[in-house]
Amino acid sequence: MTIRTLEAVGFYPVRSAPATTISLNDTRVSAEIHGVVQEMPVRVGDEIESGALLARLDCDEHALDLQQARAMTQAARADAEFAQFQLERAQELARRQAVSAEVLNERQAQASRTRAEVLRLEAASRAAQRRVNHCQIRAPFDAVVIERLASTGELVQAGTPIARILDARDLEVSGDIQQRDLPALEAAGSIRFVAAGEHYPVELRAISPMVDQRLRSVDVRFVFTEEAARPGQVGRIEWVSDRRHAPADLLVRRDDMLGVFVEEEGQARFISTPGVREGQPPPLDLPDEARLIFDGRFGLRDGDPVRIIER
């Protein structure tokens, strides 16, 4: 028999699974008012910052509405000031008993109506100002332009998509992990996303409770801890197992169980490896000095005496 220690032949395998970088914000930015598109300065593939102009709409109609609302508000304020002056005058005359209660009540009602009209028109002015602000459609976050959905000269309505943009910074990795690999992944010391020859450190964020019945896999999400890959990049999640494994060719089957043989005090001891299938490296929770039997293992039974041949 020949033996080698677990320290000499053991290794910590790198496991992997398919994964893709995804953006948390894949947004179709829409117009919030109606109008004709005057300008669309962005093109597909452009990288833009938050607040960048995506499109500009013809704003003449909305600007006129704002001007009219402001003029009506100014007139209403003048009416309210005059109504307040009349109310104060009526109150002074009422203290002298020089005016009837009916007149005083009428002045109070008129002052209340004019104040309410001012509030209504101020709200209308703010709404008109908001429409004017929406004549310029801007990016809500740093993004990449994926698609232009409108063109210069096109009449759009509120809710019409203008451009599709993809968040270039709020990214994470989605990996399809087999259920049996989840414990090793959760215990892994380091995890990385590998794509196009580049390695990106990541950490586990969440494990979906749903299982894909067809693939028997689980969607696991990771976040980048340093530099991030590009959105949509396809690669693999890799992680280093926290358990030392032995070479797969050491596996032998005894009584419908797979395992390995170790030498202890001149005898062969069979160590079963539950859950391991043929061709897979078996994880072993054994000390560094454990003596794994290589040559001669196929005919052994648990407890057989062994004679070691030194090489």
Side-chain angles (χ1 to χ4, degrees), residues 76-110:
R77 285 173 181 158
D79 290 342
E81 290 176 2
F82 181 66
Q84 182 65 27
F85 169 77
Q86 287 186 313
L87 173 61
E88 292 172 357
R89 179 62 177 166
Q91 290 171 336
E92 181 181 350
L93 293 175
R95 285 193 293 270
R96 300 175 185 175
Q97 297 183 348
V99 68
S100 66
E102 181 180 358
V103 172
L104 178 61
N105 291 337
E106 181 181 350
R107 294 290 185 267
Q108 289 175 333
Q110 180 64 21

Side-chain angles (χ1 to χ4, degrees), residues 176-180 182 207-220:
D176 293 323
I177 312 298
Q178 294 295 308
Q179 285 181 279
R180 64 176 180 271
L182 288 177
I207 299 175
S208 171
M210 302 296 295
V211 178
D212 188 314
Q213 295 298 322
R214 182 175 59 88
L215 300 176
R216 303 296 176 89
S217 64
V218 176
D219 182 22
V220 180

Side-chain angles (χ1 to χ4, degrees), residues 11-15 184 187-190 239-245 283:
F11 63 97
Y12 295 90
V14 176
R15 308 293 294 273
S190 63
W239 67 96
V240 180
S241 174
D242 66 324
R243 301 177 66 190
R244 184 157 45 187
H245 288 56

Side-chain angles (χ1 to χ4, degrees), residues 31 34 39 43 66 70 79 83 94 102 104 108 133 149 151 185 190 199 202-203 225 260 264 277 288 296 300:
H34 68 274
E39 179 187 6
R43 297 188 179 187
L66 174 60
R70 286 175 173 173
D79 290 342
E102 181 180 358
L104 178 61
Q108 289 175 333
N133 294 342
L149 302 173
S151 301
L185 175 63
S190 63
H199 297 71
V202 297
E203 63 181 22
T225 57
V260 299
E264 292 183 353
R277 293 182 292 183
D288 292 346
L300 288 176

